[in-house]
Amino acid sequence: MAVTKPQQLPPMTRGVKMGDVAINCGSVGNSAALDGREWIGEASSKFMPSLQPRGKSRSSTALQVSSLSVDPVPYTTARISATPFYYTFQVSPGQKFIRLHFYPASYRGFEKSMDFFTVKAGPFTLLRDFSASYAADTSSVKYLVKEFCVNVEENRELNIVFSPSLSSKSRNTCAFVNGIELISIPTGLYHTPDGDLGARIVNLMNRFHVIDNSTALEVIQRLNIGGNSISPIEDFGMFRRWSEDANYLLEPAGVHQVSHLAKRIKYTNMPAFIAPPKLYQTSWKIERDARANKMHKLTWKIPADLGFGYLVRLHVSQFGAEMSTNGQMEFRVLINNHIA
């Protein structure tokens, strides 16, 4: 299951060629994360951030990194500034993942309560008046990854700009970032492919929504149903994270977990990069309660913001011909109590 939040924005600026990149902000030299993936240090690369205007920007090291819950790369170092700064990327045209990594800890010369900033990528506003420390505290997490899908056209650079916001209580605000990923993705993976009618809007008959290149998407959640989390290194070079669904699953009575880890997944009429094979090897199975003459149900509750439309993608696989007999594969899907 994957949930993304479309937001209509002005047309994207144009871009030129560059391969995928993961930047360890505030660091010197390349570093390997615990999963073995290599991150580029900004100080020794062409991605050194620029200041706008010239002011106080510094690389800084977290005063304490919890080794039990936070990977040192890219979360040990950060780029911090009280004035706007930006990274410039020479990118190939097409659709991209932009991932921003934040570890809202205390750094040398910076208290985490000072963070309050806006992030833009070309004309797209990705985050507005955002506080990573507040978001992490309210979600009870140590670090945050904010992920977006955008389209880049041709012949211009892509600037990702971090600008401290003006706070009503204090003007001593800062912007910071620990890591930036820019990943090329296949055309039509999340945006509507050419010639496609788009996604049907739930509870509206004969209505479809086309997600075109002038729309940016914010990824809200990806869930691996019935299985453990799938790490980014396991996901076809696009480095998506699929979380365990247990924290979002309600009313688990009457269902049981099904695993088909030994079976090979065949992708039929779809590309293999749609999701990693591990996603299709686990599930929850619902059994009819014959004595009570009722069917149990599976319900997931995913937090969402008001005022947006949401793209919900359901991934389904079939294991063996026996499951397709006697109507065993027939079921209903409801989203917010409306049949989808």
Side-chain angles (χ1 to χ4, degrees), residues 156-212:
R156 289 189 186 274
E157 299 173 332
L158 174 63
N159 290 325
I160 300 181
V161 184
F162 298 80
S163 303
S165 303
L166 294 179
S167 171
S168 59
K169 296 181 179 179
S170 172
R171 293 181 181 269
N172 297 322
T173 58
C174 289
F176 83 102
V177 63
N178 295 88
I180 301 174
E181 294 179 72
L182 194 60
I183 306 292
S184 297
I185 61 177
T187 300
L189 181 61
Y190 292 100
H191 291 74
T192 304
D194 292 340
D196 195 294
L197 291 176
R200 187 169 66 85
I201 302 176
V202 174
N203 200 36
L204 291 177
M205 297 300 295
N206 301 320
R207 292 281 299 276
F208 291 83
H209 179 72
V210 174
I211 303 172
D212 60 20

Side-chain angles (χ1 to χ4, degrees), residues 62-278:
L63 297 179
Q64 184 177 3
V65 177
S66 173
S67 60
L68 297 177
S69 58
V70 179
D71 192 332
V73 178
Y75 299 111
T76 299
T77 60
R79 171 63 51 182
I80 299 171
S81 181
T83 60
F85 64 95
Y86 62 92
Y87 293 82
T88 299
F89 298 93
Q90 306 289 332
V91 298
S92 58
Q95 292 158 9
K96 314 290 179 187
F97 282 138
I98 297 176
R99 295 194 189 101
L100 307 176
H101 296 255
F102 303 101
Y103 178 49
S106 293
Y107 296 81
R108 292 184 178 90
F110 170 76
E111 293 296 329
K112 69 177 186 177
S113 59
M114 297 167 60
D115 70 311
F116 191 50
F117 55 96
T118 293
V119 183
K120 294 184 177 181
F124 293 89
T125 299
L126 305 182
L127 298 168
R128 187 187 302 276
D129 295 335
F130 174 70
S131 171
S133 58
Y134 177 79
D137 288 344
T138 54
S139 301
S140 300
V141 297
K142 296 293 184 181
Y143 65 93
L144 297 168
V145 181
K146 304 295 287 185
E147 180 177 315
F148 307 89
C149 304
V150 301
N151 184 71
V152 178
E153 297 181 5
E154 296 180 356
N155 300 329
R156 289 189 186 274
E157 299 173 332
L158 174 63
N159 290 325
I160 300 181
V161 184
F162 298 80
S163 303
S165 303
L166 294 179
S167 171
S168 59
K169 296 181 179 179
S170 172
R171 293 181 181 269
N172 297 322
T173 58
C174 289
F176 83 102
V177 63
N178 295 88
I180 301 174
E181 294 179 72
L182 194 60
I183 306 292
S184 297
I185 61 177
T187 300
L189 181 61
Y190 292 100
H191 291 74
T192 304
D194 292 340
D196 195 294
L197 291 176
R200 187 169 66 85
I201 302 176
V202 174
N203 200 36
L204 291 177
M205 297 300 295
N206 301 320
R207 292 281 299 276
F208 291 83
H209 179 72
V210 174
I211 303 172
D212 60 20
N213 289 338
S214 65
T215 303
L217 297 168
E218 179 183 356
V219 178
I220 301 302
Q221 190 58 260
R222 295 188 185 94
L223 297 180
N224 182 23
I225 304 303
N228 297 324
S229 61
I230 302 174
S231 67
I233 203 69
E234 298 177 275
D235 187 32
F236 293 121
M238 284 187 281
F239 304 103
R240 295 167 293 189
R241 179 178 295 278
W242 302 79
S243 301
E244 182 179 356
D245 69 329
N247 292 333
Y248 303 90
L249 180 63
L250 307 178
E251 305 176 34
V255 302
H256 63 269
Q257 193 172 16
V258 180
S259 177
H260 300 274
L261 296 178
K263 292 194 176 183
R264 183 176 180 180
I265 301 300
K266 293 182 180 180
Y267 293 84
T268 304
N269 299 324
M270 67 176 63
F273 56 70
I274 197 76
K278 193 174 180 180

